[in-house]
Amino acid sequence: MDEMTEVRALRADAPTVDRGRLAPGRARLLAAARAGQRRRAPWRRREFVIVAVVAAVTAVAVTAALLVGGDSAGHKVRPATGPTFDLRGMSAAQLLNRAADTLETEPDGPVPTARQWIYRRAIQEHQDRTLPDSMVPQAYVDESWIRYDGTALASMEFDGTTTRMHTTKMHLENGGAGDDRSAREMYRVLSALPSDGERTLRVLREKNAIEDGRGVPQAENDYIEISVLLDAYVMPSEGLASLYRALATLPGGKVTDHLVETKAGTRAIALSYDRGDDPRTGEPAQDQWLIDPQTYRIIGLRLLTAGEVVGGSSLAGTAVVDRAGVRGPVDTGPDGD
């Protein structure tokens, strides 16, 4: 069973949803939802708990989304311009192990306090062929804030007259919201992972945070498990290195032999994994992870069908701040644990 296919089919007739209440990223929602209803994820992505809401929405709430100029979702993947980065002949395993070696030497910044917020600015891409082009924001800026302890989510929304901050109270920790988890809990899981790929895979399989699908190859179950963790809001360097080494042991990854340009205008390494066929077109679909060529951090995720971008999210900025609405870095205070 291909859960991403199910989600795309489920979404086919639904109008654009309220991005503020769906939290920071349509692409991350789709990627998380590939786990399907048969999987329960103790550290799954924030948006996964509202997959059922996406299908049920029948009205569009207008939000503070700024339309982005240029080509829309559905465009071909373009090579980036500027200094070259030689990726010719590089395998996914070589790339991921190189990235892991680099990350292990990088120090982490201060860990957020419980009361601090994680700000994200992303360029979202979305293609909804069921609606007239004039009604569909093909690419837009999405800003969100989530508290590190998982107690609140905030976003800017436009009600037709003014733009206001909308805050949703949550309780993600200790099972308070079912299977979802806070950024703090995700960070603790990542910080405890072993340093090598095989041991990391064993730990993830033992925890079985996302229930393995019946009849699904182990490598696919492993990939889904890793991909959920790759979207943690705060990622320790060694934890990301562990995930990369685990991913390097799995088959199916393919590195594009040139840097690509993200919707946020940055250059990135593109690492793709097949996700079955698009039910609308029958064309092969892929996840494409966008990786910064300098830091090896993930800066986006796109869904491709026959080489065309049909959805995605490209990171344009992130910061740890003291309150929702603040966009720049601030000094950290005493730990609020």
Side-chain angles (χ1 to χ4, degrees), residues 85-90 256-258:
F85 191 91
D86 191 3
L87 297 167
R88 291 171 297 181
M90 183 176 291
T256 302
D257 64 4
H258 55 263

Side-chain angles (χ1 to χ4, degrees), residues 5-268:
T5 296
E6 286 190 347
V7 172
R8 287 197 299 271
L10 180 69
R11 183 72 181 94
D13 297 325
T16 307
V17 295
D18 180 344
R19 289 181 292 276
R21 286 176 172 80
L22 282 185
R26 189 183 307 274
R28 295 195 300 276
L29 167 63
L30 295 176
R34 74 169 67 99
Q37 293 183 351
R38 60 182 165 77
R39 301 182 179 205
R40 308 302 293 167
W43 52 53
R44 63 187 176 176
R45 301 170 193 243
R46 277 71 55 197
E47 299 83 354
F48 190 48
V49 294
I50 51 177
V51 172
V53 178
V54 177
V57 170
T58 58
V60 178
V62 180
T63 64
L66 308 177
L67 296 187
V68 177
D71 52 359
S72 65
H75 60 79
K76 293 288 185 180
V77 176
R78 298 183 302 171
T81 59
T84 59
F85 191 91
D86 191 3
L87 297 167
R88 291 171 297 181
M90 183 176 291
S91 69
Q94 288 172 327
L95 169 67
L96 290 164
N97 283 313
R98 174 194 288 187
D101 290 343
T102 300
L103 284 162
E104 278 188 334
T105 66
E106 296 297 323
D108 291 321
V111 179
T113 67
R115 298 185 182 91
Q116 287 185 305
W117 298 71
I118 302 160
Y119 164 70
R120 272 187 174 179
R121 177 184 174 90
I123 310 300
Q124 307 289 357
E125 296 180 81
H126 172 57
Q127 186 181 67
D128 192 337
R129 299 176 183 176
T130 66
L131 298 175
D133 289 343
S134 61
M135 296 176 61
V136 182
Q138 298 292 315
Y140 53 87
V141 176
D142 185 37
E143 293 184 292
S144 66
W145 293 260
I146 189 167
R147 261 187 54 145
Y148 185 59
D149 63 3
T151 58
L153 171 74
S155 62
M156 302 299 295
E157 296 185 11
F158 182 64
D159 62 8
T161 304
T162 58
T163 300
R164 297 180 180 179
M165 176 72 68
H166 176 83
T167 302
T168 302
K169 292 185 178 180
M170 302 185 298
H171 181 62
L172 299 183
E173 293 197 338
N174 302 316
D179 292 334
D180 218 342
R181 289 296 180 265
S182 70
R184 177 167 62 180
E185 287 176 315
M186 295 276 279
Y187 185 89
R188 289 169 176 167
V189 168
L190 291 162
S191 297
L193 290 177
S195 59
D196 67 273
E198 292 293 347
R199 287 175 58 206
T200 294
L201 280 182
R202 286 199 295 270
V203 167
L204 296 180
R205 290 169 183 171
E206 288 170 2
K207 289 181 178 293
N208 200 28
I210 300 176
E211 183 182 346
D212 290 346
R214 295 179 181 178
V216 177
Q218 182 64 58
E220 182 178 341
N221 286 318
D222 291 338
Y223 171 75
I224 292 171
E225 192 106 13
I226 292 168
S227 68
V228 172
L229 287 168
L230 284 174
D231 191 46
Y233 273 100
V234 184
M235 182 78 73
S237 297
E238 291 186 354
L240 181 54
S242 297
L243 292 180
Y244 279 166
R245 287 207 170 95
L247 190 56
T249 68
L250 304 182
K254 183 179 180 181
V255 181
T256 302
D257 64 4
H258 55 263
L259 294 180
V260 302
E261 184 176 343
T262 75
K263 199 65 178 179
T266 57
R267 296 182 305 139

